[in-house]
Amino acid sequence: MNLSKSRFIKGMQCQKLLWLLTHKKEALSEPDMQQTERFSVGEDVGILACELFPKGARIHFCDGISYNAKRTKELLDSGTNVIYEATFIYEGIVVMVDILQNTPQGLIINEVKSSTSLKEVYIYDLSVQHYVITHCGYSIKEANLIHLNTDYKRGKSLDLTRLFVSVPCLESVQEFTPKIPTILSDFSEILETKNEPNIDIGLHCDNPYSCEAKSYCWEAQRNITEEDSVFNLAWLNGDKKLGLYRQGIARFSDIKDIDSLNYKQQLQIECFKNKSVHIQKDKIKEFLGSLSYPIYHLDFETFQPAVPRFVGTCAYEQIPFQFSLHIQHKDGKLEHKEFLAKSGIDPRVELIQTLLDSIPPNAFILAYNASFEKGVITRLAASFPQYEKELLHIASQIEDLMYPFAARHYYHYKQNGSHSIKVVLPALVPQMESAYQELSLVHNGGEAMECFATLESKPKKEQEEYRQALLAYCKLDTLAMVEIIKALEKLVG
Ligand code: SF4
């Protein structure tokens, strides 16, 4: 059996996935922009961790597996202390060790992950390495998982000994490794069969990773993304949705006991059935009456570098790099202010100063999903005490435009259970139906995040195009808020 460590992990998640990888690759989706970026972050973190064990010999994947296994053996035989990507093969199973230490008492396997904690799947990962390496005739002294440490705040320079945490895992690995022969024999049996394994969907489709066969198993085979799928019911957790699905309740029309659902779920089903819009005019009027003009519509974009880039920040800390501010006056006049940081420098102080210059004290501020904007400002206040008072005052002034939609004072059947601004806008303001799709390069917060994080590595001309795309995206978010207010006002007359 030809099996890499990553296929072993995929097989542990789902044997059907392993089979599809071998027999029906076309059923698998290509990684999207965000997954690709995550892989690249993982690689960068792996390379950085090598500096904890300097002057090692590197095995290069492109030289070929057989050559690399031979080269690893030569390096070990010649007493090389540290090998990066050391490669071993046993009965067709190939493993590459991120950082292998060669000591007189035995080998030390170090697996590096860009995550911030130990997960069960990493024990499988280390265990298959342990299994192959011991069968190649080596003894293993330690098996460690090295991950990022969120308790460490970087100073002027990066202290790698504090940025990373090494967790000893040998005991758990030794407990799991004896199960591997049985697992491998199951995998072998599955892979030999010509028929696709009959494995149902479940929570395992997203655990530990979002499976690349989801569009095949969920959409193509089961039509589960249809609007009236129980998987689209709002305020119902994944376990309960699967529970309904397993009882044969896959569509809204299959639900007989409608009273077992909450008010918002019943409303969703009702509006879907009748293709109707639910409007509680009195509540919307009350909400609009609570606003005072001019309204400052605020939206931030943030990114979360895995390796802290700026003094005082930790791994994956959310760093705001952009905001858009539309100022809507009672007479319909609209002003726009914005900020987009230069890449490569700490954007926070300049962002704070521009924000404070743009929003007067006691301004009435709206955000869509205000807890996000409040959280960003509160963290800035904690990091920069010199601005704490003014920032916390701004945070306290923010009201939430999402409220009437989350509370279902307005619900359009096209929202499909969601109240995100990306679905509310086209439902409520049809002339802006395709506004987000028509944007170029950046269409959502995830793309904005990846775009800014990688801006510096792009050619100069592309950098300018992406900066324009970021400005256009963030501006649309606050313009959408203005249009939503106007549409609500129109609704209640
Ligand atoms: S989507 Fe789910 S059932 Fe299908 S292969 Fe992936 S994990 Fe298995």
Side-chain angles (χ1 to χ4, degrees), residues 180-208:
I180 290 182
T182 314
I183 294 168
L184 291 174
S185 118
D186 290 350
F187 285 0
S188 176
E189 214 175 290
I190 283 275
L191 291 176
E192 271 164 27
T193 156
K194 291 273 167 287
N195 299 328
E196 188 175 307
N198 183 18
I199 294 176
D200 203 357
I201 56 162
L203 293 178
H204 64 279
C205 299
D206 284 300
N207 185 20

Side-chain angles (χ1 to χ4, degrees), residues 115-165:
S115 73
T116 56
S117 61
L118 174 64
K119 295 177 184 140
E120 197 183 359
V121 61
Y122 304 153
I123 299 297
Y124 306 157
D125 194 322
L126 280 162
S127 299
V128 73
Q129 297 179 48
H130 184 279
Y131 173 82
V132 169
I133 296 170
T134 49
H135 279 90
C136 288
Y138 298 97
S139 81
I140 291 176
K141 184 181 161 238
E142 287 175 35
N144 304 317
L145 189 274
I146 297 177
H147 66 73
L148 292 167
N149 169 20
T150 48
D151 289 335
Y152 163 66
K153 285 197 185 296
R154 83 164 275 171
K156 275 198 179 130
S157 61
L158 207 51
D159 181 349
L160 294 184
T161 60
R162 293 173 64 210
L163 173 66
F164 289 105
V165 182

Side-chain angles (χ1 to χ4, degrees), residues 140-308:
I140 291 176
K141 184 181 161 238
E142 287 175 35
N144 304 317
L145 189 274
I146 297 177
H147 66 73
L148 292 167
N149 169 20
T150 48
D151 289 335
Y152 163 66
K153 285 197 185 296
R154 83 164 275 171
K156 275 198 179 130
S157 61
L158 207 51
D159 181 349
L160 294 184
T161 60
R162 293 173 64 210
L163 173 66
F164 289 105
V165 182
S166 178
V167 187
C169 299
L170 187 60
E171 215 175 291
S172 313
V173 165
Q174 283 171 335
E175 244 173 63
F176 185 78
T177 305
K179 298 176 188 154
I180 290 182
T182 314
I183 294 168
L184 291 174
S185 118
D186 290 350
F187 285 0
S188 176
E189 214 175 290
I190 283 275
L191 291 176
E192 271 164 27
T193 156
K194 291 273 167 287
N195 299 328
E196 188 175 307
N198 183 18
I199 294 176
D200 203 357
I201 56 162
L203 293 178
H204 64 279
C205 299
D206 284 300
N207 185 20
Y209 305 110
S210 177
C211 177
E212 59 244 64
K214 267 188 94 175
S215 59
Y216 174 69
C217 298
W218 288 61
E219 289 173 41
Q221 292 191 317
R222 294 175 177 81
N223 272 335
I224 271 171
T225 45
E226 291 293 304
E227 285 175 359
D228 63 337
S229 158
V230 291
F231 286 92
N232 284 331
L233 263 184
W235 286 284
L236 198 65
N237 69 32
D239 223 3
K240 289 201 171 128
K241 287 173 182 172
L242 278 162
L244 289 174
Y245 164 78
R246 291 205 180 102
Q247 292 168 50
I249 303 170
R251 296 295 167 95
F252 291 171
S253 53
D254 298 327
I255 303 174
K256 301 287 171 258
D257 182 14
I258 202 93
D259 292 337
S260 63
L261 301 175
N262 68 29
Y263 162 72
K264 291 174 184 175
Q265 292 158 347
Q266 292 186 30
L267 181 69
Q268 182 183 346
I269 293 174
E270 206 49 39
C271 288
F272 171 80
K273 263 197 332 215
N274 304 325
K275 297 281 172 278
S276 61
V277 186
H278 167 83
I279 303 167
Q280 272 182 284
K281 280 195 179 182
D282 54 336
K283 296 284 183 190
I284 295 174
K285 249 186 193 158
E286 204 178 295
F287 174 76
L288 292 172
S290 72
L291 311 178
S292 60
Y293 286 85
I295 301 169
Y296 286 71
H297 297 270
L298 176 64
D299 182 63
F300 285 118
E301 298 304 327
T302 62
F303 75 130
Q304 295 177 273
V307 175

Side-chain angles (χ1 to χ4, degrees), residues 440-459:
S440 94
L441 301 170
V442 179
H443 308 87
N444 56 53
E447 287 181 3
M449 187 184 279
E450 304 313 337
C451 171
F452 188 77
T454 55
L455 203 55
E456 260 184 297
S457 61
K458 296 189 196 313

